[in-house]
Amino acid sequence: MPDAILRTQGLNAHHGDFQALYEVDLEVSAGEVLAIIGANGAGKTTLMRSITGLLINGPGQIQYQGQDISRLRADQVASLGLAMVPEGRQLFPSLSVRENLMIGAQVGRTGPWDLNAVYRLFPVLKERKDQASTSLSGGQQQMVAIGRALMANPDLILFDEISLGLAPIIIKDIYATLPGIIGEGMSAVIVEQDITKALSVSSRVYCLQEGRVSLESASGTVSRDEISRAYFGIE
Ligand SMILES: Nc1ncnc2c1ncn2[C@@H]1O[C@H](COP(=O)(O)OP(=O)(O)O)[C@@H](O)[C@H]1O
Ligand SMILES: [Mg+2]
């Protein structure tokens, strides 16, 4: 396996007294698309928030490009080239589409992604660039959230619930842009409810169940039975 760009080892995470992740070991290879599945409340968002520095974890639990990032803040993690498309988009409602996209550029990393590149990927955002982000459809808001992450020119991009709440036709459109996003050298982690989609775009899949890794497999060979067991804990 090529070098890991991201590795968690014995990752634990808490929300107050509640432990949401238990000893999670996960590895993303450079250039890989990894899928993470799991029922509601399994800990997927907690894992994404831990990796991106929105939750602070114990030392030595998260390595990114060979560096221990467990104790870094979100802005420090972002400046290392790790970007997230968060669950629920989290756009600034008072800002225009263009201004929301520019937030991603604040980390100051150079690379192929700038406003024009994002507008080429999602032409509708160019048409709407001066409108408030709240005036857009859910699918268009997701495009803004993806574009904002790309503006940081990340080496690793995390998508938390890429298609949740979107119409099937929009989901298809967004997935059609993925090959153009995850271009040469970029790695991705995709948290996805739609298991068929998750398997079709990824090389490997992890399933979380109640805060623990219940399955790690190649996406092409995993069986429906294995997934059901890992997902629901059915024996
Ligand atoms: N801010 C929070 N405070 C308390 N509990 C939380 C918080 N965020 C998540 N949790 C709990 O942690 C568990 C994992 O949640 P989450 O990571 O959001 O799961 P998923 O993204 O897989 O649906 C759930 O039991 C959830 O209720
Ligand atoms: Mg979630």
Side-chain angles (χ1 to χ4, degrees):
M1 191 184 280
D3 288 348
I5 184 166
L6 178 78
R7 180 178 286 131
T8 72
Q9 281 175 309
L11 177 63
N12 294 307
H14 299 81
H15 299 292
D17 289 340
F18 177 75
Q19 185 162 0
L21 294 179
Y22 295 85
E23 301 287 317
V24 170
D25 294 342
L26 172 139
E27 203 167 288
V28 185
S29 305
E32 174 178 48
V33 178
L34 183 82
I36 297 180
I37 60 173
N40 244 338
K44 305 179 298 295
T45 295
T46 301
L47 177 58
M48 296 301 102
R49 291 173 61 84
S50 293
I51 292 167
T52 51
L54 293 165
L55 281 174
I56 299 298
N57 303 89
Q61 298 185 351
I62 310 172
Q63 307 278 329
Y64 171 70
Q65 293 179 331
Q67 183 181 345
D68 181 9
I69 61 163
S70 317
R71 314 288 292 172
L72 297 187
R73 294 188 315 265
D75 59 312
Q76 297 170 314
V77 172
S79 70
L80 297 174
L82 211 166
M84 174 157 71
V85 181
E87 186 174 356
R89 347 274 183 234
Q90 295 179 17
L91 304 178
F92 286 96
S94 60
L95 298 184
S96 68
V97 166
R98 185 182 161 282
E99 287 164 337
N100 268 288
L101 291 172
M102 288 307 295
I103 300 239
Q106 279 177 3
V107 297
R109 289 171 53 88
T110 54
W113 293 102
D114 56 16
L115 275 180
N116 283 330
V118 171
Y119 292 154
R120 273 196 300 278
L121 184 71
F122 299 122
V124 68
L125 298 187
K126 187 173 185 180
E127 294 163 26
R128 305 278 165 103
K129 65 183 164 58
D130 297 318
Q131 295 184 20
S133 60
T134 43
S135 70
L136 272 56
S137 70
Q140 290 164 351
Q141 292 188 26
Q142 183 68 309
M143 292 171 194
V144 177
I146 294 171
R148 178 183 56 191
L150 292 173
M151 292 287 284
N153 281 295
D155 294 326
L156 173 62
I157 185 165
L158 312 179
F159 297 89
D160 192 0
E161 305 288 4
I162 202 166
S163 55
L164 189 66
L166 301 180
I169 177 108
I170 306 295
I171 296 171
K172 200 160 155 264
D173 281 356
I174 287 182
Y175 268 94
T177 64
L178 274 192
I181 293 172
I182 307 161
E184 222 159 294
M186 205 196 280
S187 315
V189 174
I190 295 181
V191 172
E192 175 59 87
Q193 298 273 325
D194 182 333
I195 293 170
T196 306
K197 277 249 151 48
L199 296 179
S200 71
V201 296
S202 61
S203 55
R204 287 186 311 127
V205 60
Y206 284 75
C207 185
L208 287 183
Q209 187 193 125
E210 294 180 2
R212 293 181 168 86
V213 175
S214 55
L215 172 81
E216 178 194 346
S217 177
S219 302
T221 55
V222 67
S223 73
R224 289 281 143 173
D225 277 358
E226 285 174 285
I227 290 195
S228 296
R229 273 198 300 277
Y231 206 93
F232 301 110
I234 299 166
E235 291 303 321

